Amino acid sequence: MKNLNYNKTATHNRQPPFQTQPETLQSPMTKKTLAITASLCLPLILWYLFIKPYDYLMTFTAKTSPGTIYTGIREWGNTENIITLENHHFSAITQQLKAGDSTLTFNWEMTSRNDSVTKVKVRVTDPEHSLRNKIAVLFTRSAIENISVNRVANFKKGLEEHLKTFRVKVNGISEIPKAFCACTTVRTRQPEKAQGMRQHYSTATDFLTTNGIRQKGVPRLEVNDWDIEDRIIRFNFCFPIQKSDSLPEGPGIFYKEIPSRKAIKATFHGDYSISDRAWFALLDYARRNHLNISAKPLEIFYSNPNTGTNPLGWKAEVFMPIDEN
């Protein structure tokens, strides 16, 4: 399988750990060598069979951030009826899968190598049949091996298809451009962010048009709260306008100044419903560069999704404020 490696460790060599010779042919030095070899191999065999914390290991790399992979694993788990047992946001997740008479535990670990590549390790365990699986893996293509390889290969294929639908480039440290805006507040699940914007777009633009208020720039989204665990966000959907002392009031409409602020910036191309992939890239960039940030991203949208163009041609600038306190 291309780029999908599975590890059977050094003890998977199907040759016996040592070979004996007839007593009449063994010299004292040979006996000593065999004794040393046995004393070295036995702890390794005992570790493999009784201490090693997993039955099977697979690794692969992906050209994206750990957060995108983490989110993909959670969404994949929902479609595969997999239970999530534990997670460490954007770095590790533990899931459980029923397969016949086995209950498999998948421990996923994501490690960022650089701005664009993440290494993934998947450790699979069947607690009820662990010893049997470890022995079987040494000599044949075991059931746990078949299930694990197929499941992870399917996930990897789906991930690669998803990565073709957008592009993210981290630009580095920048400034959020200031603007005075007419805004409305939206609360929604993170995957439904774009739907929330569409529902409020007409309300805001109709209000501005009816009251003769001219827009002075493209829309922007300012996140106020981000519940990473439950994937719920509350954000202001804003339209830059000319500041004035006499602005009309409207239901659900308020005005605010968005100040300029130091931030790390990414450029996103793709459907705005998944522009949070740029959030994940910025979080990873901040972690690797030891930057203190406020996890309240701001997005500026330069394309109109209603034009019917290819989403890969849509552009957004995404900022993650740097916390300078």
Side-chain angles (χ1 to χ4, degrees), residues 7 9 20 25 34 42 46 49 57 71 96 107 111 132 143 169 176 192 204 210 238 244 246 276-277 297 304 322-323:
N7 184 338
T9 77
T20 60
L25 299 180
L34 290 174
L42 183 59
L46 292 175
L49 293 176
L57 171 67
T71 299
Q96 191 177 80
N107 290 291
T111 305
R132 182 187 71 183
K169 179 182 179 182
I176 296 174
E192 297 162 3
T210 300
C238 299
S244 171
S246 57
D276 57 0
R277 278 44 176 176
N304 184 350
I322 294 175
D323 191 348

Side-chain angles (χ1 to χ4, degrees), residues 23 27 46 58 71 88 120 123 129 147 154 158 173 175-176 188 212 239 253 294 296 299 316 322:
E23 183 69 23
S27 67
L46 292 175
M58 289 163 288
T71 299
H88 301 277
V120 182
R123 297 176 176 89
H129 308 99
I147 295 170
N154 287 339
I173 295 178
E175 293 274 340
I176 296 174
T188 184
F239 298 81
I253 301 293
S294 172
K296 297 181 178 180
E299 303 182 331
I322 294 175

Side-chain angles (χ1 to χ4, degrees), residues 115 284-292:
D115 281 349
D284 185 57
Y285 179 90
R287 182 191 61 79
R288 287 185 294 99
N289 289 276
H290 310 291
L291 296 171
N292 293 323

Side-chain angles (χ1 to χ4, degrees), residues 9-245:
T9 77
T11 61
H12 293 196
N13 190 331
R14 300 185 183 180
Q15 297 298 321
F18 55 85
Q19 296 180 342
T20 60
Q21 299 292 334
E23 183 69 23
T24 55
L25 299 180
Q26 293 177 353
S27 67
M29 182 60 69
T30 302
K31 291 181 180 180
K32 183 177 180 181
T33 301
L34 290 174
I36 293 173
T37 302
S39 66
L40 293 175
C41 288
L42 183 59
L44 181 60
I45 294 171
L46 292 175
W47 172 85
Y48 173 77
L49 293 176
F50 302 107
I51 301 175
K52 182 183 173 187
Y54 57 88
D55 302 344
Y56 198 72
L57 171 67
M58 289 163 288
T59 64
F60 65 90
T61 58
K63 294 182 178 181
T64 190
S65 65
T68 295
I69 299 172
Y70 170 87
T71 299
I73 293 169
R74 291 189 65 175
E75 293 175 351
W76 171 76
N78 292 335
T79 63
E80 295 285 328
N81 296 318
I82 293 174
I83 300 172
T84 296
L85 302 178
E86 183 181 354
N87 60 64
H88 301 277
H89 300 307
F90 310 138
S91 62
I93 184 167
T94 301
Q95 297 177 319
Q96 191 177 80
L97 166 69
K98 282 279 191 181
D101 65 343
S102 297
T103 301
L104 304 183
T105 300
F106 286 73
N107 290 291
W108 302 76
E109 178 185 305
M110 289 74 72
T111 305
S112 173
R113 286 185 168 179
N114 53 47
D115 281 349
S116 59
V117 176
T118 298
K119 183 175 182 178
V120 182
K121 292 183 178 180
V122 191
R123 297 176 176 89
V124 185
T125 307
D126 178 3
E128 295 296 323
H129 308 99
S130 183
L131 181 60
R132 182 187 71 183
N133 290 329
K134 288 176 180 177
I135 294 173
V137 165
L138 292 173
F139 303 103
T140 185
R141 178 103 170 175
S142 65
I144 190 173
E145 185 175 353
N146 287 327
I147 295 170
S148 302
V149 169
N150 289 338
R151 292 280 178 162
V152 175
N154 287 339
F155 168 77
K156 184 172 182 288
K157 181 180 179 181
L159 175 65
E160 290 171 346
E161 290 301 314
H162 176 64
L163 297 181
K164 295 176 184 177
T165 66
F166 69 93
R167 296 192 302 273
V168 176
K169 179 182 179 182
V170 177
N171 305 107
I173 295 178
S174 182
E175 293 274 340
I176 296 174
K178 68 178 181 178
F180 182 80
C181 300
C183 305
T184 182
T185 298
V186 184
R187 185 179 184 277
T188 184
R189 292 187 67 252
Q190 196 171 320
E192 297 162 3
K193 171 171 65 75
Q195 181 180 341
M197 290 192 293
R198 283 194 296 269
Q199 290 174 345
H200 288 77
Y201 180 85
S202 296
T203 300
T205 54
D206 289 349
F207 173 82
L208 296 178
T209 301
T210 300
N211 289 279
I213 302 173
R214 188 161 128 341
Q215 294 185 47
K216 285 192 61 181
V218 294
R220 58 180 62 192
L221 178 153
E222 178 191 43
V223 174
N224 296 317
D225 295 298
W226 179 12
D227 185 333
I228 295 176
E229 172 62 30
D230 293 328
R231 303 183 70 196
I232 295 174
I233 55 174
R234 184 173 63 86
F235 62 87
N236 298 328
F237 189 31
C238 299
F239 298 81
I241 61 172
Q242 179 65 47
K243 188 174 182 178
S244 171
D245 293 331

